[in-house]
Amino acid sequence: MSLTAFGLIILAGLIHAGWNIVAKRAGGDSRFAFFTSILNMVVWAPLGWWLGRDVVPLWGVKEWSIVALSGVLHVLYFVVLLRGYRKADLTVVYPLARGTGPLLSSMVAITFLGESLSALGALGIAAVVGGVFLIAGGVNLLRTAAKEQTARARIHKGMFYGVLTGVFIASYTVVDGYAVKIMLMSPILVDYMGNILRIVLLAPVALRKPAELKALWKLQWKYALAVAVVSPVAYVLVLYAMQHAPMSHVAPAREVSMLFAALIGGHLLKEGDRKARIFGAVLIAAGVTALGLG
């Protein structure tokens, strides 16, 4: 992996962890995703227009189809993620989501896109998966689930939503990676135009109860604005990294965000098992380094 790709991933990881903590604090649902998408469209409109004014009119069926598929997968990802945050701890949902996604997307990239992986790279992926297990609670997760019914139910919900979110992460990673690596589409335009489609998909649900929507807007607009400003930056950096390195390396390396989430989220949200989760985050960082070298 080039230093350029590695640097982009590290920066993206810090930003990604930050906006997930903001989203957790917002406690929103699909309407929060709608607020975020609207603000995303407005904030980044000048850049979207500047880059797309000569390019987008030339897009054909293939380009619009890939953007449409990306938009649908991102909506499903965001809605499921937010629901998981309402039902369980961020430090269970987030690591499982971030661990499952890159593992699956790496397997797809190696199996279907002809990418290869060195022994050191494979060891790096194993370290990432092990770190994810520790951050999710490790052995204590299993012990708690066995002893306490309430905790077990909450952990099981976190595991379910975390893994399901990871499936959608893997799906949109492969689709968007194909768009920027094979079709050579602009990472910024793939994300921006996909976001416009997300607004269309979320609108029927969000606008169903106008009074509730207005009340939620007053409570959540600051959180939504923060996510709208920074989350596209994190993901576009990852897409640019995919243009400089194999997807099977970039996808697991994104999990450096787990290191920041464990350090920042554990402190701000005061969720338990901090030592084990920080050790797991360090293991992930080591795995990311191995991927960078391998």
Side-chain angles (χ1 to χ4, degrees), residues 194-205:
N195 177 70
I196 293 177
L197 177 62
R198 294 195 285 272
I199 295 173
V200 175
L201 295 173
L202 290 166
V205 176

Side-chain angles (χ1 to χ4, degrees), residues 74-242:
H74 276 276
V75 165
L76 293 172
Y77 151 72
F78 205 17
V79 170
V80 171
L81 178 68
L82 292 175
R83 185 171 180 83
Y85 284 167
R86 295 197 310 274
K87 299 291 185 179
D89 289 348
L90 175 141
T91 40
V92 173
V93 177
Y94 187 71
L96 287 175
R98 301 312 312 171
T100 305
L103 182 61
L104 293 175
S105 54
S106 293
M107 291 172 61
V108 171
I110 293 170
T111 304
F112 297 105
L113 300 183
E115 295 187 1
S116 60
L117 193 66
S118 68
L120 184 59
L123 185 62
I125 290 180
V128 169
V129 173
V132 165
F133 175 70
L134 288 176
I135 291 179
V139 176
N140 288 334
L141 181 79
L142 303 177
R143 289 175 180 171
T144 302
K147 292 179 180 179
E148 302 176 23
Q149 184 174 355
T150 302
R152 180 169 63 247
R154 187 171 180 82
I155 289 170
H156 284 174
K157 287 180 180 179
M159 294 172 68
F160 171 76
Y161 285 109
V163 171
L164 184 58
T165 301
V167 171
F168 289 122
I169 290 174
S171 300
Y172 76 62
T173 298
V174 171
V175 169
D176 293 350
Y178 180 85
V180 301
K181 287 180 70 70
I182 307 301
M183 299 177 63
L184 301 179
M185 296 175 68
S186 164
I188 293 175
L189 290 179
V190 169
D191 185 69
Y192 187 77
M193 299 307 293
N195 177 70
I196 293 177
L197 177 62
R198 294 195 285 272
I199 295 173
V200 175
L201 295 173
L202 290 166
V205 176
L207 300 175
R208 188 168 51 191
K209 298 179 180 179
E212 288 186 15
L213 188 69
K214 184 177 180 180
L216 286 172
W217 169 257
K218 292 179 180 179
L219 294 173
Q220 298 177 349
W221 74 267
K222 292 181 180 179
Y223 297 106
L225 179 60
V227 174
V229 170
V230 301
S231 63
V233 177
Y235 191 57
V236 166
L237 289 176
V238 170
L239 293 181
Y240 274 113
M242 286 185 186

